[in-house]
Amino acid sequence: MYPPMRKDFISLTLTEQDSRNYNNSKNWRRQSCWRKWKQLSRLQRSLILFLLAVLVVCGIATYPSLAERWGGLHADLQIQRTWSIQSTYIRSNRVCQSAAENPGSEGLASASEVQARNVVDPLDPRPVVPGIIPDLDSKMALVLPEPSHLVSPVTLVPWCPSTGHPSFQKQRKPFPNKRGPPGLQHRVQKRGNISESEVKEREGPALKGGAEEEEGEKPLVSWRGAMIEADQATEPQPSAKENEAPLSLDRGVQVPPAPGGVSERQEAVVEAFRHAWKGYKEFAWGHDELKPISKSYGEWFGLGLTLIDALDTMWILGLKEEFKEAKQWVSTELSFTKNVDVNLFESTIRILGGLLSTYHLTQDSLFLDKAKDIGARLMPAFNTPSKIPYSDVNIGRGSAHPPRWTSDSTVAEVTSIQLEFRELSRLTQDDWYQKAVDSVMKHVHKLEGKHDGLVPMFINTNSGQFTHLGVYTLGARADSYYEYLLKQWIQGGKKETELLEDYLQAVEGVKKNLLRKSEPRKLTFVGELSHNHFSPKMDHLVCFLPGTLALGAHNGLPAEHMELAQQLVETCYQMYAQIETGLSPEIVQFNLMPRNGNDVEVKPADRHNLLRPETVESLFYLYRFTRDKKYQDWGWEIFQSFNKYTRVPTGGFSSISNVRNPESPDPRDKMESFFLGETLKYFYLLFSDDFDLISLDKYVFNTEAHPLPIWPSS
């Protein structure tokens, strides 16, 4: 027999103490990553940490633009909802009106029936332009805003009388007031800054049986999140003007009658100025420019440009309280000791010119003392090899330099500072200022490179010679050279014959080289010449020329200058009238061949309007010298368009980017200082029949509309 088999067993014990075993636990993963990190060299770890720090910094830097993009998308959705609600509201009102007129139709009406009843669409942004009719002043409605205590977030509940039910209900919340110093302005979300105050929409019921028209609410035009008053300039229909009572604000608030000698149109200009000043005072006090959409401010020189530019305007308009506040700021806050670079030309025409003009109107020595201070601080600009001044001056350090990218100055800048410095010499009995600016004019007078009296756009501060030869324009960089030739001659008592000779030769050069007529209306316009090639391009800036020509004719120059002025000012008016918003673009292209029935074409890059004054300025001169009321009427149309498309409810006016799109003009969120210093001032003077108010036989306006006295003949 065999013995039984032995069974052997092996005992194996497994333990969990070996940390290298993989079990996918979080604790194991953390330990593994830490070991791998410790295995890296110190250089490798440093490089990884550096890259992470760079990514964090980049993320922080790009956050504002991303936030703005997200905020813009949110604002666009809000705008779409707003317009959808407004469209529903308009349709419901039309249904109610149709039901009231046709009781058996249950308020339903076709589009053709609505059009046949002449129902005005409140969403139609096109201005109601008054015709040129006799005695328009006595019939024109005064453009005034709603009372400030009523401009607040409201619940809009129009009532449908035919059904007895509300046709629409919507309540909106106010948006926060966003302000901040200049360093934070780039972080303001423009598209999200819808104004706090909202106004109700105008209902506009039809008039029947001679009943008075009920006053409704003013609709708003939404521009990418910015709510702008859309009905400021709309005239009442003729039926509403008949037998009308004294003018009143919305909701029945009575307006006192205009004082003797001040027309209703002038009162409208005063109201517009107060509205602009309200925004500046609340959001930009003491700063250079108001940004009315974002309710903030912009700085250029940090010298309160808007306030100084508007001083003499306030005095002329009779705004004594506003003037008193501004004067207090000039007395206590205005200082020229800042370490800041300023542009010689802009500082001269706006600050020095504004202070000198205000001194002459008020005889307050405060403004003359400030003018002496800034005038002396600008003089280092003339320390050049050629005596052609540099473009930039540091008024704190007393140094000057050309722009970083060139040693050239523009011809307009160096030849459009003479009126101000000459007047400063006369007041201070110090010929230092006048000698400096007169030497520039004498140098340019004998300089080669002109073409029939027309000058190039640039001049070198080292050599004193013209540069970029062959390009001749009356637009930007050359315009005010021609203006100041005539005005210096008038300022000095018509004795400086070299200035007159240069002016007359230049006018002949314009007629010979730059004048053409457009198609189909045969409008006379001023183009440009580039290396013997004519371009039918005309800047809005060129619209200073009709007023200058008329001023010369008034002072004894050929009568044909007045005829040309009348032709050109009509062209400038058509630059407004042929545009959808009634506002001129910055640049137009005239058609030399018939095309689309219009004389003007506008390139996409030129469609902006900066609230410029040149056309209103020329209308003022033409009305003063001809007494033709059509110039006042043209100016009133332009004023209404400014009120309709550029006025911001919370205060101020904004330049716009697209004059061809009434539904979305796209505000630029900037009110230039010259809107108060020039545009509104010329509007007020245009609408005045008091021809002794800043008499053109006693004063000459600088290129920023600041009146300076004509020197006595002695």
Side-chain angles (χ1 to χ4, degrees):
M1 280 182 79
Y2 292 100
M5 295 181 63
R6 266 177 52 184
K7 296 181 179 180
D8 294 330
F9 298 92
I10 298 175
S11 176
L12 178 64
T13 303
L14 299 176
T15 65
E16 296 181 0
Q17 295 179 352
D18 189 357
S19 61
R20 290 173 293 180
N21 291 336
Y22 177 75
N23 59 8
N24 199 33
S25 67
K26 292 183 179 180
N27 183 53
W28 185 91
R29 289 199 302 271
R30 282 195 295 266
Q31 292 177 355
S32 177
C33 291
W34 177 248
R35 282 194 178 92
K36 290 180 180 179
W37 173 257
K38 296 295 290 183
Q39 289 173 0
L40 296 175
S41 68
R42 181 174 298 177
L43 176 61
Q44 290 173 324
R45 292 199 298 268
S46 299
L47 287 174
I48 292 173
L49 291 174
F50 174 74
L51 291 175
L52 289 174
V54 170
L55 290 175
V56 171
V57 171
C58 293
I60 294 174
T62 57
Y63 172 76
S65 62
L66 291 174
E68 181 176 359
R69 184 180 298 250
W70 295 335
L73 293 174
H74 176 72
D76 287 340
L77 291 174
Q78 293 292 338
I79 293 166
Q80 292 174 5
R81 295 193 192 102
T82 300
W83 279 110
S84 177
I85 291 168
Q86 289 178 342
S87 299
T88 304
Y89 167 54
I90 296 305
R91 289 194 296 269
S92 64
N93 275 352
R94 288 176 174 172
V95 169
C96 295
Q97 183 177 1
S98 177
E101 294 178 355
N102 304 287
S105 62
E106 297 181 353
L108 298 177
S110 66
S112 60
E113 290 171 342
V114 172
Q115 185 177 4
R117 297 188 189 112
N118 293 324
V119 177
V120 179
D121 188 352
L123 290 179
D124 186 358
R126 292 172 295 179
V128 179
V129 181
I132 301 173
I133 58 176
D135 197 23
L136 188 59
D137 284 343
S138 62
K139 299 181 180 180
M140 185 64 65
L142 182 60
V143 180
L144 289 172
E146 296 193 76
S148 58
H149 67 280
L150 295 173
V151 181
S152 59
V154 295
T155 302
L156 186 60
V157 189
W159 189 261
C160 183
S162 63
T163 62
H165 298 287
S167 60
F168 176 84
Q169 185 171 353
K170 177 69 178 178
Q171 185 172 2
R172 298 178 185 174
K173 297 180 181 180
F175 286 80
N177 179 9
K178 296 188 178 181
R179 294 185 60 188
L184 298 178
Q185 288 178 23
H186 70 283
R187 305 185 70 171
V188 175
Q189 297 181 16
K190 290 174 99 175
R191 302 177 112 189
N193 279 328
I194 303 176
S195 63
E196 297 177 4
S197 57
E198 292 193 12
V199 210
K200 295 181 181 180
E201 289 195 56
R202 188 181 300 255
E203 297 178 7
L207 295 174
K208 291 185 179 182
E212 293 183 1
E213 182 181 22
E214 296 178 6
E215 289 200 359
E217 310 291 342
K218 296 179 180 178
L220 301 179
V221 174
S222 175
W223 292 341
R224 299 184 182 178
M227 305 303 291
I228 308 297
E229 290 173 290
D231 216 7
Q232 285 292 332
T234 305
E235 260 196 313
Q237 297 300 320
S239 58
K241 293 183 185 179
E242 296 173 2
N243 304 320
E244 68 178 338
L247 295 170
S248 63
L249 287 166
D250 289 340
R251 310 183 199 275
V253 180
Q254 294 297 314
V255 178
V262 178
S263 68
E264 292 176 351
R265 291 177 175 181
Q266 286 179 284
E267 286 292 332
V269 176
V270 171
E271 185 281 322
F273 184 97
R274 283 187 168 132
H275 181 77
W277 190 253
K278 169 181 173 289
Y280 177 75
K281 182 179 177 181
E282 185 172 356
F283 306 119
W285 182 253
H287 298 284
D288 285 343
E289 294 167 334
L290 168 67
K291 301 177 75 174
I293 304 297
S294 58
K295 302 188 186 80
S296 59
Y297 55 84
E299 295 286 32
W300 192 2
F301 308 143
L303 299 175
L305 283 183
T306 293
L307 189 147
I308 298 175
D309 230 355
L311 284 170
D312 55 2
T313 304
M314 287 184 280
W315 187 266
I316 292 170
L317 270 58
L319 300 175
K320 300 302 173 64
E321 289 300 320
E322 290 83 352
F323 180 85
K324 183 178 179 181
E325 293 175 340
K327 175 188 171 182
Q328 180 65 24
W329 184 88
V330 171
S331 176
T332 59
E333 301 294 332
L334 180 59
S335 172
F336 299 123
T337 60
K338 295 182 177 181
N339 181 19
V340 60
D341 283 354
V342 302
N343 179 270
L344 171 67
F345 167 70
E346 298 291 353
S347 300
T348 299
I349 64 173
R350 302 190 196 207
I351 301 176
L352 180 57
L355 292 170
L356 291 173
S357 171
T358 307
Y359 165 71
H360 282 294
L361 294 175
T362 65
Q363 293 298 305
D364 191 325
S365 61
L366 165 68
F367 302 106
L368 179 58
D369 292 339
K370 294 291 184 180
K372 293 177 183 177
D373 189 6
I374 185 64
R377 292 177 182 275
L378 293 174
M379 289 304 290
F382 295 91
N383 296 331
T384 68
S386 65
K387 303 306 178 184
I388 299 298
Y390 289 129
S391 63
D392 299 308
V393 186
N394 188 295
I395 56 176
R397 295 202 309 260
S399 60
H401 59 86
R404 293 186 180 93
W405 56 88
T406 180
S407 60
D408 291 347
S409 291
T410 69
V411 172
E413 288 185 346
V414 303
T415 58
S416 303
I417 55 179
Q418 280 67 19
L419 290 178
E420 298 82 1
F421 279 105
R422 283 155 53 109
E423 178 61 17
L424 186 60
S425 276
R426 190 178 75 90
L427 292 173
T428 61
Q429 299 298 307
D430 186 346
D431 62 358
W432 178 38
Y433 308 104
Q434 183 170 353
K435 284 183 177 179
V437 294
D438 282 352
S439 66
V440 175
M441 298 306 300
K442 292 178 180 177
H443 179 82
V444 173
H445 171 73
K446 61 185 180 183
L447 205 56
E448 296 182 356
K450 299 178 185 178
H451 180 70
D452 295 328
L454 304 176
V455 295
M457 294 187 293
F458 297 96
I459 187 169
N460 189 270
T461 55
N462 294 321
S463 66
Q465 300 296 313
F466 289 130
T467 60
H468 300 82
L469 301 179
V471 180
Y472 304 97
T473 175
L474 263 69
R477 300 187 177 93
D479 51 350
S480 48
Y481 160 74
Y482 305 100
E483 175 188 358
Y484 267 42
L485 287 175
L486 176 69
K487 290 184 175 180
Q488 288 179 80
W489 175 70
I490 295 173
Q491 179 193 46
K494 306 178 184 178
K495 299 176 181 178
E496 297 156 291
T497 57
E498 286 185 353
L499 296 170
L500 179 61
E501 291 172 2
D502 287 347
Y503 174 75
L504 292 174
Q505 187 179 7
V507 172
E508 293 304 312
V510 169
K511 292 162 64 177
K512 177 181 178 181
N513 298 284
L514 304 182
L515 278 190
R516 297 289 191 279
K517 288 189 180 292
S518 69
E519 293 293 342
R521 301 186 59 159
K522 307 295 184 183
L523 299 176
T524 302
F525 70 94
V526 179
E528 296 183 353
L529 195 65
S530 178
H531 305 288
N532 295 320
H533 174 72
F534 178 81
S535 170
K537 165 182 173 288
M538 180 171 168
D539 294 4
H540 184 274
L541 288 169
V542 181
C543 287
F544 84 91
L545 183 59
T548 301
L549 290 169
L551 180 64
H554 177 71
N555 282 274
L557 299 187
E560 62 186 31
H561 287 196
M562 180 63 77
E563 296 173 3
L564 180 57
Q566 292 173 315
Q567 296 171 17
L568 288 174
V569 80
E570 181 178 2
T571 301
C572 292
Y573 164 69
Q574 290 296 331
M575 289 166 61
Y576 287 79
Q578 294 191 22
I579 302 299
E580 287 81 352
T581 59
L583 293 174
S584 172
E586 183 74 358
I587 301 172
V588 300
Q589 307 283 334
F590 281 92
N591 290 327
L592 298 177
M593 301 293 290
R595 185 187 307 170
N596 300 330
N598 287 333
D599 295 78
V600 298
E601 297 287 341
V602 186
K603 294 182 178 179
D606 303 331
R607 293 179 177 180
H608 51 286
N609 181 288
L610 304 181
L611 312 175
R612 287 198 184 276
E614 287 78 18
T615 295
V616 186
E617 172 187 359
S618 287
L619 290 172
F620 158 66
Y621 280 109
L622 267 294
Y623 179 66
R624 277 285 178 97
F625 298 141
T626 68
R627 314 292 171 91
D628 190 336
K629 291 287 186 179
K630 74 177 181 182
Y631 299 121
Q632 287 186 324
D633 296 336
W634 291 353
W636 181 244
E637 293 178 23
I638 296 171
F639 177 77
Q640 290 186 102
S641 296
F642 276 127
N643 246 334
K644 185 176 180 69
Y645 292 106
T646 70
R647 183 178 175 118
V648 181
T650 52
F653 292 75
S654 174
S655 54
I656 59 177
S657 296
N658 191 353
V659 298
R660 305 296 310 256
N661 190 344
E663 296 182 359
S664 180
D666 194 8
R668 291 187 156 204
D669 194 20
K670 185 176 183 180
M671 185 178 77
E672 300 278 358
S673 77
F674 55 67
F675 182 68
L676 300 186
E678 297 187 73
T679 308
L680 291 183
K681 182 187 299 170
Y682 280 131
F683 270 129
Y684 186 83
L685 294 174
L686 167 63
F687 298 145
S688 173
D689 288 324
D690 179 6
F691 300 115
D692 290 327
L693 179 61
I694 314 297
S695 169
L696 294 176
D697 293 322
K698 298 178 181 178
Y699 291 93
V700 59
F701 286 90
N702 83 338
T703 196
E704 192 74 8
H706 296 304
L708 300 174
I710 297 173
W711 298 348
S713 56
S714 60

